């Protein structure tokens, strides 16, 4: 099979995955999921013209020669319905969100007035009709589509759904994901520490990557490099929508995943991608399952998950934004690169005048998981280039947590 570029491999995967069916969810459980239906407003909001300020509702025509004294005929709070019509020379005291009474066409905020007595106020400024009035239906109009299918449910969207009283809504289902690690050398979490073994980190790092997408995966444990045992585990894994297998996809004599997964009816799309880290990454399909063979090296496993698995899972959940956000950053040092493979370099990011500075986390071995734990992002080094000089503008894919920073971006 051919040596695919990262982009071609991503394309190949996305051609083989589609949105899952929709299901009902309660609004309380919907954060991070994707709407599978259009949602319409069920009323006008605000339901009538309301005041945008605490102040006085009045007739703007009365303000030709300010300051002017007006008679206060009523007190209108949010939730009250005005009982009187404002006539020439009159006004009504009004609170933010309260309905503007008949006759009034503007609001003057309290700061631009001077109370003279309980029922008299001096207005100090002139305004145009409509001043500080929020119009009926300005926020949303009854019957209008306010959210379309495909919208990710963020806190803001949740607020809109609550506004239109969507206690239950249709969202796309989440894929059922199984994670299997392979290798005789592996020691699992509950096993006693054996200094000759390698702790199984991949199952848990992958678990967390899946959880970060809002999916609770099933951990199938560790399969030994034994054809019969591996077959049993793989069969179990192929009952899921997505099966992630860590390790054993290389060309070592004990890398049995490839022959067995094919014997179980998985149609392989690719086994290799021209990338670093993460060379031996595989993808195949059955009628119901998407199979990913991820490299055993811990960094490679995580990087391949980000490039290939995350976009596929997000598509299945109905998302249209599939890839991690990238930013431009200034590289703080020279970087060597051997042309041929797209490289993902773990970097930290520091805010600087006008943007970000990217610095390698240090040694980039594909077994050095601490480099991943320390990274803010993955710098993408294009396959064909020979290296980068300090000061170059580079592309960095943001990893978890990078939407937050240490300091506020403003000074008070
Ligand atoms: P493999 O892809 O099976 O050839 O494994 C490549 C390297 O990754 C070897 O050094 C393995 O010990 C290591 N490795 C494989 N699976 C895991 C795992 N689940 N957790 C941590 N390291 C692993
Ligand atoms: Mg192995």
């Amino acid at each position: 099979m051919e040596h695919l570029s990262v982009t071609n491999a991503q394309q190949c995967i996305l051609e083989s995955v589609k949105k899952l069916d929709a299901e009902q969810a309660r609004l309380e459980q919907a954060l991070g999921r994707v709407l599978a239906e259009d949602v319409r407003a069920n009323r006008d909001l605000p339901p009538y013209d309301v005041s945008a300020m605490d102040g006085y509702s009045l007739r703007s025509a009365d303000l030709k020669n300010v300051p002017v004294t007006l008679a206060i005929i009523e007190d209108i709070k949010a939730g009250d319905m005005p009982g009187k019509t404002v006539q020439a020379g009159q006004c009504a005291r009004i609170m933010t969100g309260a309905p503007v009474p008949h006759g009034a066409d503007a609001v003057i905020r309290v700061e631009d007035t001077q109370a003279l007595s309980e029922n008299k106020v001096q207005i100090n400024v002139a305004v145009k009709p409509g001043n500080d009035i929020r119009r009926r239906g300005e926020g949303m109009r009854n019957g209008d589509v306010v959210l379309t299918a495909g919208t990710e449910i963020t806190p803001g969207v949740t607020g809109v759904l609550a506004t239109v009283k969507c206690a239950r809504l249709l969202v796309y289902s989440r894929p059922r994901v199984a994670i299997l690690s392979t290798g005789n050398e592996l020691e699992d979490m509950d096993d006693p520490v054996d200094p000759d073994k390698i702790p199984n980190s991949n199952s848990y790092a992958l678990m967390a990557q899946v959880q970060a997408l809002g999916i609770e995966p099933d951990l199938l444990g560790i399969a030994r490099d034994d054809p019969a045992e591996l077959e049993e585990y793989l069969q179990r894994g192929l009952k899921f929508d997505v099966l992630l297998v860590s390790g054993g996809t290389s060309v070592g004599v004990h890398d049995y995943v490839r022959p067995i997964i094919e014997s179980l009816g998985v149609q392989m799309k690719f086994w290799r991608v021209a990338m670093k880290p993460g060379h031996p990454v595989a993808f195949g399909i059955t009628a119901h399952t998407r199979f990913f063979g991820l490299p055993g090296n811990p960094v490679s496993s995580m990087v391949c998950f980000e490039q290939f698995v995350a976009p596929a899972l997000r598509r299945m959940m109905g998302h249209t934004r599939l890839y991690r956000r990238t930013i431009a950053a200034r590289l703080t040092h020279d970087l060597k690169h051997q042309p041929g493979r797209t490289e993902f370099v773990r970097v930290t990011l520091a805010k600087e005048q006008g943007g970000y500075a990217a610095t390698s986390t240090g040694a980039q071995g594909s077994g050095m998981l601490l480099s991943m734990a320390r990274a803010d992002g993955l710098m993408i080094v294009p396959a064909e280039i020979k290296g980068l000089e300090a000061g170059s503008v580079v592309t960095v894919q943001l990893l978890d947590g990078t939407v937050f920073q240490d300091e506020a971006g403003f000074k008070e």
Side-chain angles (χ1 to χ4, degrees), residues 21-25 33 36 169-174:
D21 292 337
E23 63 184 20
Q24 290 275 340
R33 303 192 64 179
L169 41 136
L170 263 190
V171 294
Y172 291 107
S173 297
R174 287 178 285 213

Side-chain angles (χ1 to χ4, degrees), residues 181-186 223 225 246-250 254-257 295-297:
S181 278
T182 70
N184 290 344
E185 75 281 27
L186 297 180
D225 294 318
S246 149
T249 52
S250 219
H254 298 295
D255 292 330
Y256 297 117
V257 172
N297 277 310

Side-chain angles (χ1 to χ4, degrees), residues 257-268:
V257 172
R258 179 172 188 168
I260 297 174
I261 202 79
E262 282 180 309
S263 78
L264 292 174
V266 175
Q267 184 201 338
M268 291 312 300

Side-chain angles (χ1 to χ4, degrees), residues 227-285:
E229 181 169 329
L230 199 53
E231 178 170 337
E232 205 184 297
Y233 273 95
L234 290 175
Q235 251 168 348
R236 208 176 309 156
L238 287 172
K239 296 201 173 82
F240 287 76
D241 297 315
V242 175
L243 169 59
L244 309 181
V245 175
S246 149
T249 52
S250 219
V251 289
V253 277
H254 298 295
D255 292 330
Y256 297 117
V257 172
R258 179 172 188 168
I260 297 174
I261 202 79
E262 282 180 309
S263 78
L264 292 174
V266 175
Q267 184 201 338
M268 291 312 300
K269 298 286 190 184
F270 61 79
W271 280 98
R272 295 274 175 275
V273 176
M275 66 190 285
K276 183 186 170 185
H279 203 218
V281 56
F283 174 68
I285 64 172

Side-chain angles (χ1 to χ4, degrees), residues 68-87:
V68 62
T69 300
L70 299 178
I72 305 169
I73 57 164
E74 194 175 14
D75 227 334
I76 311 164
K77 301 188 290 294
D80 286 350
M81 281 301 163
K84 298 180 178 162
T85 297
V86 174
Q87 314 280 355

